[in-house]
């Protein structure tokens, strides 16, 4: 797995600029894919920045499975945007997204640099191509989620563990992964188990456990400092000592009869299908990485030493471990794969590098060696451009299909449309709300009853007399539970709504609780309607990406559209 010369070399600064450009595009145009991002992260941040916001049961001091240290870091990052004289809350939203894009790009550039020096510059360039063209990274790179934060720190941890130039950086790797596990997602530690196993094997082979002990101690002390920092921050907000990472693990792994399975389960092959959609050809190549490491070590131009073989297997193992762990869990969500995305790209890049080396053979005794170079070039170029094109096409499809919720609230910011105290109601579209950052100051979002039967968020307490700062973080809110039981107190009467967000799809049917408010022109006046993909009526090919409305494209493959609208109540007579 040693570096070898490359036809050209891409410097880290240029690579970082490319990574940042791709992440910036995602920051500006990627739709929010998961309501958990809004209600568990954007809304608490809005509470810290603006004094009000929606509160999920996870932030009740009774359960405390979300860290205010993580939220507080992001709330502080938004502060500069609030200092702009013409700043708006929408600008704050995108300001934080741009910061996340920069952090992600910096982590990607660091890992790129280490791959280039440790493996091969060509592997690094392929890693870059896969990361910037993948629709998976398009939504993971700037998602305000602990799994995205863990992805950033995992990349930095991988870079530290992989980089043996001058000295072994075990402590640094443990620090980065520990940072992601404590402030972000505890399960991220699984990604570095192969590297730690490698450390123990080498220490045993060299009989040098003394050095290993001090490296592990160095990393552990740094992680404990982070943990103490988090405990202090969370104790300040919750007004009691809580260990959020422990609570998260306990709830997800050891809670009997409760836990995440209440929110739906998926078959074991869910992630295989999802990753194929998000990485297309690259995911197949990623799966081939483990055997190809062995192939390279046995029939490559230079036979690898046992240490190089072990290093190669360690580099590609995290993806398999992560996929195995989460495939056997009944409750599955796309965001659970975020920390593994860089490993998938690395595996795919390495596999492609090995296959290209074998395919580039000029040995006339082999079948591959007798293929004309022009045909080889055409095949490889076509395959890579197809994979890149599919990824970009999929990302464009996501933006064109699902961006309406980020757009329809714009009329509220026009002069004279909304005023403080107005209420924007969410019925069946509650899960697509893009956060209170998209509402003018003092305008609140509230829920009206729909067919949904689970527990919706409440509101952080705004008591301001005798309760100190941020009382909503430690006062126990009413109607919360960890069993997803519906609380009628989360709803208001529709007559109190000044505005309504509603959708109308050709495939949708009305019910008593979910009428088509869009069609009720006696009560509501549309302020803005945007096209939104009707997934029930659209063929799978159309759901994956946009197709031109040419006569040669069969009608059944074309996209079917509904509309997503912001409505204003007409003057009451």
């Amino acid at each position: 797995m040693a570096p070898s010369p490359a036809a050209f070399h891409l410097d880290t600064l240029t690579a970082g600029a490319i990574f940042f450009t791709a992440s910036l595009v995602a920051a500006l145009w990627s739709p929010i894919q998961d309501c958990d991002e809004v209600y568990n992260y954007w809304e608490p941040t809005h509470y810290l920045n603006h004094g009000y916001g929606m509160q999920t049961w996870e932030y009740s001091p009774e359960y405390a499975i979300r860290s205010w240290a993580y939220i507080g870091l992001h709330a502080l990052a938004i502060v500069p945007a609030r200092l702009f004289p013409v700043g708006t809350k929408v600008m704050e939203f995108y300001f934080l997204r741009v910061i996340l894009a920069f952090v992600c790009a910096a982590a990607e550039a660091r890992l790129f640099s280490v791959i280039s020096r440790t493996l091969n510059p060509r592997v690094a360039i392929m890693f870059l191509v896969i990361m910037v063209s993948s629709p998976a990274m398009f939504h993971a790179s700037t998602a305000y989620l602990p799994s995205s934060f863990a992805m950033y720190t995992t990349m930095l941890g991988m870079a530290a563990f992989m980089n043996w130039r001058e000295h072994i950086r075990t402590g640094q790797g443990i620090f980065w992964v520990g940072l992601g596990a404590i402030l972000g997602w505890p399960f991220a530690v699984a990604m570095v188990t192969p590297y730690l196993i490698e450390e123990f094997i080498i220490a045993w082979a060299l009989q040098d456990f003394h050095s290993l002990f001090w490296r592990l101690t160095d990393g552990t002390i740094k992680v404990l400092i982070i943990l103490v920092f988090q405990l202090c921050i969370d104790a300040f907000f919750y007004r009691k000592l809580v260990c959020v990472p422990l609570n998260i693990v306990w709830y997800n792994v050891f809670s009997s009869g409760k836990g995440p399975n209440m929110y739906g389960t998926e078959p074991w092959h869910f992630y295989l299908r999802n990753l194929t959609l998000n990485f297309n050809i690259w995911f197949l190549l990623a799966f081939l990485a483990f055997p190809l490491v062995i192939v390279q070590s046995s029939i490559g131009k230079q036979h690898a030493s046992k240490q190089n073989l072990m290093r190669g297997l360690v580099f590609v193992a995290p993806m398999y471990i992560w996929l195995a762990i989460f495939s056997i869990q009944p409750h599955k969500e796309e965001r659970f794969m975020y920390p593994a995305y860089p490993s998938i790209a690395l595996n795919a890049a390495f596999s492609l590098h090995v296959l290209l080396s074998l395919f580039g053979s000029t040995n006339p005794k082999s079948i591959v060696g007798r293929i004309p170079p022009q045909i080889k070039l055409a095949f490889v170029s076509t395959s890579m451009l197809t994979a890149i094109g599919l990824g970009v096409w999929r990302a464009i499809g996501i933006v064109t299909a699902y961006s309406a919720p980020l757009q329809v609230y714009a009329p509220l910011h026009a002069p004279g449309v909304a005023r403080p105290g107005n209420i924007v109601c969410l019925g069946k579209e509650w899960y697509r709300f893009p956060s209170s950052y998209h509402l003018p100051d003092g305008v609140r979002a509230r829920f009206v009853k729909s067919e949904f039967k689970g527990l919706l968020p409440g509101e952080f307490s705004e008591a301001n007399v005798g309760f100190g700062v941020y009382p909503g973080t430690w006062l126990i809110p009413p109607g919360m539970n960890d069993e997803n039981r519906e609380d009628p107190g989360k709803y208001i009467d529709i007559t109190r709504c000044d505005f309504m967000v509603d959708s109308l799809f050709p495939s949708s049917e009305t019910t008593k609780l979910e009428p088509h408010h869009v069609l009720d022109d006696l009560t509501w006046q549309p302020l803005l309607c945007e096209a939104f993909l009707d997934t029930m009526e659209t063929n799978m090919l159309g759901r994956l990406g946009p197709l031109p409305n040419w006569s040669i494209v069969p009608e059944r493959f074309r996209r079917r559209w509904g509309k997503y609208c912001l409505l204003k109540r007409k003057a009451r007579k």
Side-chain angles (χ1 to χ4, degrees):
M1 301 286 289
S4 59
F8 61 94
H9 175 78
L10 188 65
D11 64 273
T12 304
L13 188 60
T14 303
I18 296 172
F19 282 126
F20 180 64
T21 300
S23 295
L24 183 61
V25 170
L28 298 178
W29 284 288
S30 177
I32 295 177
Q33 291 204 324
D34 194 328
C35 65
D36 193 60
E37 178 180 351
V38 171
Y39 294 116
N40 269 323
Y41 305 103
W42 282 109
E43 285 298 306
T45 305
H46 188 275
Y47 174 68
L48 294 187
N49 284 142
H50 296 278
Y52 63 95
M54 294 189 176
Q55 179 183 25
T56 63
W57 68 268
E58 289 96 329
Y59 284 92
S60 170
E62 292 180 286
Y63 309 106
I65 64 171
R66 294 289 182 261
S67 174
W68 283 104
Y70 174 72
I71 298 298
L73 287 175
H74 292 78
L76 286 174
I78 288 177
V79 169
R82 302 189 64 194
L83 302 178
F84 294 138
V86 292
T88 65
K89 291 198 297 180
V90 175
M91 191 177 78
E92 293 174 24
F93 175 88
Y94 285 104
F95 182 80
L96 180 57
R97 274 192 157 194
V98 171
I99 291 178
L100 295 176
F102 178 81
V103 173
C104 183
E108 289 172 309
R110 176 58 182 164
L111 183 54
F112 168 91
S113 176
V114 172
I115 292 171
S116 183
R117 295 197 309 268
T118 305
L119 295 177
N120 187 292
R122 186 167 73 177
V123 176
I125 292 172
M126 293 171 184
F127 170 79
L128 180 149
V129 169
I130 295 169
M131 291 287 278
V132 301
S133 66
S134 166
M137 286 301 298
F138 180 70
H139 47 75
S141 60
T142 57
Y144 182 7
L145 289 167
S147 50
S148 283
F149 182 78
M151 179 183 72
Y152 308 155
T153 58
T154 297
M155 283 191 279
L156 296 171
M158 289 170 59
F161 279 113
M162 292 172 67
N163 186 10
W164 280 6
R165 292 289 180 93
E166 299 176 356
H167 60 91
I168 298 177
R169 295 168 172 79
T170 308
Q172 186 182 122
I174 292 174
F175 164 77
W176 285 118
V177 175
L179 177 66
I182 291 173
L183 291 185
W185 209 28
F187 306 104
V189 296
M191 289 293 293
V192 297
T193 51
Y195 296 99
L196 295 176
I197 292 172
E198 178 189 35
E199 297 266 358
F200 279 99
I201 292 175
I202 292 175
W204 177 79
L206 300 177
Q207 290 298 296
D208 185 15
F209 289 100
H210 180 267
S211 297
L212 175 62
F213 171 79
W214 286 112
R215 293 197 302 271
L216 294 177
T217 301
D218 173 50
T220 302
I221 290 174
K222 293 175 180 176
V223 171
L224 289 176
I225 292 173
I226 299 169
L227 181 59
V228 171
F229 166 79
Q230 184 195 51
L231 290 174
C232 292
I233 297 298
D234 285 334
F236 170 79
F237 283 105
Y238 282 120
R239 300 289 179 93
K240 65 178 183 178
L241 185 64
V242 295
C243 183
V244 171
L246 179 61
N247 289 351
I248 292 174
V249 173
W250 186 266
Y251 173 75
N252 284 277
V253 179
F254 300 108
S255 56
S256 176
K258 299 179 183 178
N261 292 351
M262 293 186 300
Y263 300 94
T265 60
E266 299 289 346
W268 66 269
H269 51 78
F270 171 83
Y271 290 126
L272 297 180
R273 292 184 285 110
N274 181 267
L275 292 172
T276 300
L277 285 176
N278 282 321
F279 283 95
N280 57 75
I281 300 172
W282 306 126
F283 183 55
L284 174 61
L285 289 175
F287 239 101
L288 296 175
F290 198 90
L292 284 176
V293 170
I294 300 174
V295 169
Q296 188 202 43
S297 67
S298 60
I299 66 174
K301 292 183 179 180
Q302 55 180 10
H303 290 283
S305 66
K306 289 183 178 179
Q307 181 175 328
N308 283 341
L309 173 60
M310 181 177 68
R311 290 238 80 192
L313 295 176
V314 166
F315 289 171
V316 302
M319 183 201 77
Y320 300 96
I321 293 174
W322 192 264
L323 189 58
I325 290 173
F326 283 89
S327 291
I328 62 177
Q329 305 303 315
H331 180 65
K332 300 176 176 67
E333 295 188 39
E334 183 175 334
R335 59 192 166 96
F336 294 170
M337 285 291 109
Y338 288 4
Y341 284 173
S343 290
I344 293 172
L346 174 60
N347 284 22
F350 175 76
S351 295
L352 183 59
H353 168 67
V354 174
L355 291 174
L356 288 178
S357 299
L358 297 174
F359 196 58
S361 172
T362 57
N363 184 358
K365 295 181 180 180
S366 66
I367 296 177
V368 173
R370 293 197 291 268
I371 300 176
Q374 296 84 351
I375 296 179
K376 292 182 181 180
L377 179 61
F379 176 78
V380 171
S381 300
T382 302
S383 299
M384 291 192 63
L385 290 175
T386 299
I388 294 170
L390 285 174
V392 174
W393 175 69
R394 171 77 173 141
I396 293 174
I398 293 171
V399 173
T400 55
Y402 307 114
S403 291
L406 289 175
Q407 299 168 352
V408 297
Y409 294 89
L412 295 175
H413 298 271
V417 175
R419 63 181 184 274
N422 281 166
I423 294 176
V424 177
C425 284
L426 307 166
K428 63 176 181 287
E429 292 299 326
W430 68 268
Y431 61 98
R432 293 190 178 116
F433 177 55
S435 83
S436 296
Y437 280 99
H438 292 263
L439 303 180
D441 286 323
V443 176
R444 309 296 183 97
R446 298 295 299 272
F447 301 114
V448 295
K449 187 73 178 78
S450 67
E451 295 294 343
F452 179 70
K453 305 297 182 184
L455 178 66
L456 288 171
E459 292 183 291
F460 285 104
S461 173
E462 298 171 35
N464 55 12
V465 178
F467 291 98
V469 295
Y470 300 123
T473 63
W474 62 271
L475 292 174
I476 296 178
M480 295 296 189
N481 63 82
D482 61 350
E483 298 176 343
N484 200 27
R485 295 195 312 270
E486 186 176 23
D487 173 31
K490 300 294 189 292
Y491 306 111
I492 67 169
D493 191 273
I494 195 171
T495 57
R496 295 178 56 192
C497 302
D498 301 292
F499 301 90
M500 172 70 72
V501 176
D502 195 31
S503 60
L504 178 64
F505 298 103
S507 62
S508 61
E509 297 181 0
T510 61
T511 67
K512 182 178 179 180
L513 294 176
E514 295 183 357
H516 288 325
H517 298 292
V518 176
L519 301 180
D520 182 7
D521 54 7
L522 294 178
T523 307
W524 303 103
Q525 168 193 350
L527 293 183
L528 179 63
C529 289
E530 295 286 348
F532 198 93
L533 188 69
D534 187 345
T535 56
M536 299 298 293
E537 290 291 316
T538 302
N539 182 276
M540 179 179 179
L541 188 61
R543 294 198 302 270
L544 290 177
L547 296 174
N549 288 323
W550 298 341
S551 58
I552 59 173
V553 178
E555 184 69 24
R556 67 180 183 276
F557 293 137
R558 298 183 187 181
R559 288 179 152 189
R560 300 289 186 270
W561 298 94
K563 56 183 179 179
Y564 196 90
C565 299
L566 172 68
L567 312 174
K568 181 179 181 180
R569 181 180 292 277
K570 291 186 175 181
R572 292 178 171 90
K573 297 180 180 181

